[in-house]
Amino acid sequence: NTDPHHIEKIISLAKRTKTFAVSSMTMKFHPVSELIRKNLKKGKLGKPLLLNYHSGENLEDWHPWENVQDYYVGNIKTGGGRDQAVFELEWILWMFGKPNEVMAKTEKLSKTKAKIFDTYQMTFSLSKIPTANILVDVIQRPPNRILRIVFENGLLEWSWVPGLLRIYNSTTKKWEEHGHGYKGFNVEEMYQKEMFAFIKSVQQKKNLIHSFEEELVAARSVVAAEQSSKQKKTILLKRIFKLR
């Protein structure tokens, strides 16, 4: 569930019962995540300045055997629509740091009977990048993820479907290509690797995936995006995190 209050209860319960708790972040285990992280650490392209990310897929394709209003995705109170925005935001925050502010527009553009926002257009200021434009929708067919990062001295771009990560260095004026479609990569491998990491985390009693505290930051940020859209103003996230 992506309701911040529910996540707070999990954190409180884990502390009170001294339970080792690990949250999920599946995109961390996609091959492109490590490639991007490595290139950020190298710093050959200078500072990241601008990020554009679009994640789109159609909600009705998730469980084609049942109506969307008949299970959790059909209602925002149980995470419908919002959960995908949190899912995507988590790995962006993992790479580019905590959010400082957000300006957003959340809408329902499809004809689905689900009582949700099916489109989240969010512009964040993050600690490691000034502007991060993140568009998450659950109406697009076919599904895809497209990422472009503008650096001081170059450009990084990636698309989920072809799988190719391309990097342009404006100093050398050359393109580098990585991945080549991740030939042989099965998307289910992300989930398998995450489960192995969970087992290892339990064995070592060290969180190797994602904490519920980090999950809470992402969830609050998406809820703040909904508030930003409703109030038509920028929401300062630092204030939200300090108040709770």
Side-chain angles (χ1 to χ4, degrees):
N1 197 304
T2 53
D3 186 319
H5 298 295
H6 292 173
I7 298 172
E8 288 171 354
K9 288 181 180 179
I10 292 172
I11 294 171
S12 177
L13 182 62
K15 288 180 178 178
R16 189 167 68 250
T17 59
K18 297 182 179 180
T19 301
F20 182 68
V22 178
S23 181
S24 171
M25 187 169 65
T26 310
M27 279 298 294
K28 182 177 183 178
F29 299 91
H30 190 284
V32 78
S33 296
E34 189 57 34
L35 281 171
I36 294 173
R37 292 265 289 186
K38 284 181 179 178
N39 278 277
L40 287 170
K41 288 180 180 179
K42 287 179 182 178
K44 290 183 179 180
L45 302 180
K47 294 180 180 179
L49 303 175
L50 172 65
L51 177 151
N52 280 320
Y53 180 56
H54 179 198
S55 168
E57 56 186 291
N58 195 286
L59 198 64
E60 295 182 351
D61 295 338
W62 286 17
H63 290 188
W65 58 87
E66 61 183 329
N67 295 322
V68 293
Q69 63 268 26
D70 292 339
Y71 70 114
Y72 83 93
V73 299
N75 194 314
I76 196 170
K77 291 182 179 179
T78 50
R82 182 190 290 165
D83 63 335
Q84 191 65 16
V86 174
F87 179 92
E88 299 294 354
L89 182 59
E90 285 172 345
W91 76 287
I92 297 297
L93 297 184
W94 172 60
M95 288 190 289
F96 293 98
K98 292 184 178 180
N100 298 315
E101 60 183 35
V102 62
M103 180 171 61
K105 187 174 185 181
T106 59
E107 302 177 277
K108 183 183 177 185
L109 300 177
S110 67
K111 294 180 180 179
T112 179
K113 294 181 181 179
K115 297 178 181 179
I116 63 171
F117 295 119
D118 57 27
T119 306
Y120 283 76
Q121 172 61 64
M122 305 174 288
T123 299
F124 287 94
S125 169
L126 305 178
S127 61
K128 296 180 182 179
I129 192 167
T131 303
N133 298 312
I134 302 172
L135 171 60
V136 179
D137 75 74
V138 288
I139 55 180
Q140 177 180 292
R141 287 188 175 111
N144 200 8
R145 291 180 172 93
I146 299 173
L147 174 67
R148 290 172 62 88
I149 305 171
V150 177
F151 291 83
E152 290 177 313
N153 303 313
L155 175 70
L156 181 152
E157 59 182 26
W158 169 70
S159 179
W160 170 275
V161 174
L164 189 64
L165 178 70
R166 302 177 72 238
I167 301 170
Y168 180 75
N169 188 317
S170 61
T171 303
T172 62
K173 297 183 180 180
K174 292 182 179 180
W175 283 94
E176 294 179 13
E177 294 187 351
H178 302 269
H180 301 285
Y182 301 110
K183 188 175 182 180
F185 173 73
N186 185 326
V187 68
E188 296 301 325
E189 289 180 35
M190 294 193 304
Y191 298 92
Q192 293 171 359
K193 288 179 180 179
E194 185 173 32
M195 287 307 300
F196 284 132
F198 171 71
I199 293 170
K200 193 173 182 180
S201 295
V202 173
Q203 291 172 338
Q204 297 182 2
K205 293 187 178 180
K206 179 181 178 182
N207 194 335
L208 303 173
I209 304 177
H210 193 53
S211 71
F212 277 99
E213 285 78 7
E214 291 168 317
E215 178 92 1
L216 183 59
V217 170
R220 283 179 179 170
S221 297
V222 172
V223 171
E226 295 169 0
Q227 295 172 349
S228 170
S229 180
K230 184 177 181 180
Q231 298 173 15
K232 294 181 170 58
K233 69 176 186 180
T234 298
I235 302 294
L236 300 178
L237 295 169
K238 285 185 177 181
R239 293 182 180 179
I240 293 175
F241 300 142
K242 284 181 180 179
L243 285 173
R244 296 183 181 180

